[in-house]
Amino acid sequence: MNIHITADGKKLVTVIPGDGVGPECVDSAIKIIEATGAPIAWEVRHAGERVFKQGIASGVPQETIDSISKTRVVLKGPLGTPVGYGEKSANVTLRKLFETFGNIRPVRELPGVPTPYSGRKLDLVVVRENVEDLYAGIEHMQTPGVAQCLKLISRKGCEKVVRLAFEFARAEGRTKVHCATKSNIMKMTEGLLKRTFEDISKEYPDIEANHIIIDNCAHQLVKKPEQFDVIVTTNMNGDIMSDLTSALVGGLGFAPSANIGSEVAIFEAVHGSAPKYAGKNNINPTAVILSAVMMLRHLGEFDAAATIENAVMVTWEEGKFRTRDVVGDELACTTTEYTDAVISNFGKSSAAYSIRDVKPITLPTFSAERDIVKVSSRRVAGVDIFVETALGPIDLGTTIERLTAGSAATLKMISNRGTRVYPPTGTITDCIDQYRCRFMKAEGNLTDAEILDLMSKIATEIQWAHIEKLQEFDGAAGWTKAQGED
Ligand code: NAP
């Protein structure tokens, strides 16, 4: 990764102060880095709420994109996103625009931060896939009352994040990687991560590789978290699991992260803009400070990183300056006092916490080819046509059979939210107004013309909303069955 060196020999970093508590946390981290004397220069740019208010719908203006394209390293405060309506998240936009495909989220027991797990020496890392999955945000209303979100997972995306997890484990001298998925239910999407993990783990015989179902992973993390070292998982699972793991060591105030791509790295806290604490000078800035420590290591500034990490631990161990989230309002110091305390502890180290011997991550390189998975044969065996109708399943089934009689493919079944309802199963599915009609062709390829013929016949009486081809790749079905489908 090429970083930008200024005329006076400093490493240039784009700083995005962010929204809510972001500026206070980022100011604290910058003050601490500057106190180490590390040769870092800052280019301040903006994203998020203040940019939305300027009418820039992406939340990320061109000058911010230009700065990151130049510096390739970002220290970022959290950005607020409207919930349930309006603009896309500027965070996710930044991660995706710069293809930061993996998000490394470490948590470790901190001396002087009491939790129900204190003394168990927790030290684990969630590596979250960062650009795919439900976070691609490809959503549609299929009917006025039915929403869908497309969960896109690629072999290439899986390979990138799995290799990052193993390379990160090696760089930190870690010995175990768990892959956590919901592949028992989502066999194609979550299953692709599991299969990719099983393939790639063979290239890392020095590291123990295990698969775990994500819900059990959540259970095990609460019950016996010390069994984990590195956990690699899909985007949505990783989002949730990393908030959980932060709570094991004291909460979101202590959880840093690094968004890693082949070209750009963005360092930020796991937490959001916590608007209720904005401007009160009482927020815990440790998560952003520890994100800055990760950034310094990324920039090769290992001594400054160690000075800050040690000083943070000593500050908590001494217990003279602790923030509101740990000791409550009565005993809390201000963010400014905490920041100064960390600086005053430069040069000291904690007896209870030793810094890892971290080596730079060897970032894997990836093929630029778009179609990295090649097959020697494929067949369109059928098509799923999603329709909107207020008819019940039997009326719909008989209507569709009448309309499509004599077509190239025949109706195999109809499902409602994934459960077969036609031919009837005699059960009690509470149908809504969106159905999937599955047509199969017994032999040969179902052509586009034959699919269009089916759709135009259906459209004479029933409104269709969406279609999906059912393809076999090298003889293997590229679709899953409905619940109750034979
Ligand atoms: P949040 O900002 O992370 O805050 C949730 C709670 O976590 C806070 O109320 C507070 O808990 C605790 N917390 C967060 N940061 C803390 C810190 N530095 N020190 C101590 N405690 C801290 O989550 P949210 O309220 O769900 O989201 C607010 C906004 O942030 C939303 O617009 C969301 O989209 C955005 N967001 C941005 C990012 C990002 O930029 N990467 C990530 C997540 C969310 P208590 O109430 O118990 O004190």
Side-chain angles (χ1 to χ4, degrees):
M1 199 180 292
N2 296 320
I3 57 170
H4 187 94
I5 307 291
T6 60
D8 55 352
K10 292 186 173 170
K11 297 168 180 173
L12 188 64
V13 169
T14 301
V15 179
I16 300 176
D19 301 317
V21 297
E24 293 159 76
C25 296
V26 169
D27 283 353
S28 164
I30 290 179
K31 188 171 177 188
I32 290 169
I33 291 176
E34 293 197 330
T36 67
I40 309 291
W42 313 100
E43 188 162 274
V44 179
R45 293 290 182 269
H46 295 287
E49 277 166 8
R50 76 152 73 182
V51 177
F52 289 131
K53 283 183 191 145
Q54 289 165 10
I56 299 172
S58 69
V60 184
Q62 191 58 44
E63 59 172 10
T64 301
I65 293 174
D66 292 345
S67 173
I68 299 172
S69 303
K70 177 176 67 186
T71 65
R72 293 166 185 250
V73 181
V74 183
L75 181 63
K76 180 184 150 297
L79 307 177
T81 312
V83 178
Y85 66 92
E87 290 90 350
K88 303 285 259 193
S89 157
N91 292 306
V92 177
T93 300
L94 276 170
R95 291 173 193 163
K96 289 173 78 74
L97 279 178
F98 293 99
E99 198 61 38
T100 57
F101 56 81
N103 190 325
I104 297 174
R105 299 186 152 189
V107 296
R108 186 168 168 189
E109 180 174 337
L110 295 105
V113 180
T115 76
Y117 296 91
S118 291
R120 289 165 71 169
K121 299 194 174 0
L122 300 191
D123 181 3
L124 62 96
V125 184
V126 173
V127 179
R128 165 186 175 189
E129 197 290 319
N130 214 28
V131 292
E132 299 193 338
D133 195 7
L134 298 167
Y135 265 73
I138 306 171
E139 294 194 292
H140 302 92
M141 296 301 296
Q142 274 204 20
T143 80
V146 180
Q148 74 165 20
C149 181
L150 205 54
K151 182 174 168 84
L152 281 183
I153 305 270
S154 73
R155 167 76 196 198
K156 194 170 186 179
C158 292
E159 211 171 305
K160 284 177 159 183
V161 75
V162 167
R163 286 191 188 281
L164 179 67
F166 279 109
E167 292 296 341
F168 174 77
R170 271 192 182 159
E172 294 232 323
R174 294 177 183 267
T175 55
K176 241 189 311 188
V177 179
H178 278 83
C179 174
T181 76
K182 194 69 186 170
S183 53
N184 50 331
I185 302 298
M186 286 165 272
K187 297 175 197 299
M188 300 275 139
T189 50
E190 294 275 322
L192 189 52
L193 179 64
K194 177 174 184 281
R195 291 189 294 278
T196 307
F197 177 77
E198 285 161 354
D199 288 349
I200 288 175
S201 61
K202 294 181 192 124
E203 296 175 35
Y204 296 87
D206 49 319
I207 295 173
E208 185 186 324
N210 303 294
H211 176 260
I212 185 167
I213 302 282
I214 189 75
D215 36 342
N216 183 34
C217 184
H219 164 238
Q220 295 292 335
L221 274 169
V222 175
K223 206 172 142 191
K224 202 175 161 216
E226 51 274 57
Q227 69 187 286
F228 294 103
D229 199 349
V230 175
I231 301 169
V232 62
T233 189
T234 46
N235 202 340
M236 182 79 167
N237 289 336
D239 184 24
I240 298 166
M241 299 308 267
S242 58
D243 266 35
L244 187 158
T245 54
S246 82
L248 303 175
V249 298
L252 284 169
F254 296 98
S257 87
N259 300 279
I260 301 288
S262 304
E263 305 289 330
V264 166
I266 302 172
F267 298 85
E268 61 177 337
V270 169
H271 66 73
S273 57
K276 68 182 174 187
Y277 299 116
K280 295 194 171 147
N281 196 22
N282 68 357
I283 198 69
N284 179 359
T286 308
V288 175
I289 296 169
L290 294 179
S291 305
V293 166
M294 295 176 86
M295 180 191 81
L296 288 169
R297 294 206 169 102
H298 175 79
L299 291 170
E301 298 294 331
F302 290 96
D303 290 346
T307 299
I308 297 172
E309 189 176 348
N310 276 321
V312 167
M313 299 311 148
V314 170
T315 304
W316 284 100
E317 194 171 39
E318 284 181 350
K320 288 189 233 155
F321 294 93
R322 292 181 290 175
T323 46
R324 178 209 52 82
D325 50 323
V326 177
V327 291
D329 286 322
E330 298 282 292
L331 297 172
C333 67
T334 64
T335 307
T336 315
E337 286 166 339
Y338 175 79
T339 305
D340 292 339
V342 171
I343 294 170
S344 72
N345 281 324
F346 279 5
K348 298 183 195 162
S349 54
S350 154
Y353 183 105
S354 57
I355 288 191
R356 284 180 167 276
D357 180 19
V358 181
K359 297 180 191 64
I361 304 179
T362 312
L363 263 187
T365 50
F366 299 99
S367 156
E369 280 182 70
R370 274 173 274 279
D371 54 344
I372 61 162
V373 181
K374 308 242 180 356
V375 289
S376 47
S377 75
R378 64 169 75 205
R379 175 176 95 94
V380 180
V383 65
D384 279 347
I385 302 181
F386 295 75
V387 299
E388 176 184 350
T389 177
L391 290 176
I394 295 180
D395 286 345
L396 176 64
T398 50
T399 305
I400 295 274
E401 279 168 343
R402 172 173 55 77
L403 293 173
T404 60
S407 300
T410 50
L411 183 69
K412 182 179 180 219
M413 65 104 208
I414 297 176
S415 69
N416 195 283
R417 288 164 301 143
T419 303
R420 188 186 109 194
V421 291
Y422 185 86
T425 57
T427 54
I428 49 163
T429 307
D430 180 12
C431 291
I432 46 102
D433 64 355
Q434 185 253 26
Y435 293 87
R436 170 179 55 166
C437 305
R438 173 159 288 178
F439 294 87
M440 301 301 296
K441 186 169 182 177
E443 281 179 10
N445 204 46
L446 183 65
T447 65
D448 288 353
E450 289 165 346
I451 293 171
L452 293 172
D453 175 57
L454 272 175
M455 290 168 68
S456 58
K457 285 173 175 164
I458 290 171
T460 56
E461 291 184 30
I462 310 278
Q463 177 141 313
W464 64 270
H466 173 82
I467 73 156
E468 203 73 55
K469 285 181 178 174
L470 305 179
Q471 302 192 72
E472 287 172 356
F473 299 116
D474 286 337
W479 66 92
T480 57
K481 287 187 173 174
Q483 300 299 138
E485 181 179 352
D486 297 324

